[in-house]
Amino acid sequence: MILLTPELREQLRANDLARIEALRRGDPAPDPVPVVRFFNPVGAATWLAIELDEDDIFFGVADLGFGCPELGSFALEELQSIRLPFGLGIERDTLFEGAFPLSVYAEAACRAGSLIEGERILYRAARAEKGGA
């Protein structure tokens, strides 16, 4: 699977450049909605990314499945180099659509001890707020 399409790369780079420009102006860094989610198809590791720098380093939330998700950087090359059982590798969630700013995902993930569980809590709360079950 291609982890990063040209369209996703363009969105991620635009977010990186927007953050750099905001910091140059002395404005607070933007808090965009994640653009892409990567996951381990045979494990608990999950990554959300909001930006990509010129060296193909993402910034986002990384949850390796040890109960302590965190904000930070991770490399495209590292994700691409991971070899899993059955000839699998890290995959991109082709159905992912971010619904909250990265800071909201990060806080929920840290409180829940898992990015996946934090997302469940966020989506459940959002449905309840809209009147759904």
Side-chain angles (χ1 to χ4, degrees), residues 31-56:
D31 187 14
V33 169
V35 173
V36 64
R37 178 204 330 253
F38 303 106
F39 66 96
N40 176 340
V42 295
T46 308
W47 299 262
L48 291 179
I50 60 167
E51 55 187 59
L52 180 72
D53 72 13
E54 65 277 355
D55 296 322
D56 283 348

Side-chain angles (χ1 to χ4, degrees), residues 55-67:
D55 296 322
D56 283 348
I57 305 296
F58 294 104
F59 182 79
V61 176
D63 179 2
L64 301 182
F66 302 122

Side-chain angles (χ1 to χ4, degrees), residues 6 43 47-49 61 63 74 78 81 97 100:
W47 299 262
L48 291 179
V61 176
D63 179 2
F74 46 97
E78 288 179 3
S81 71
E97 291 183 25
F100 309 97

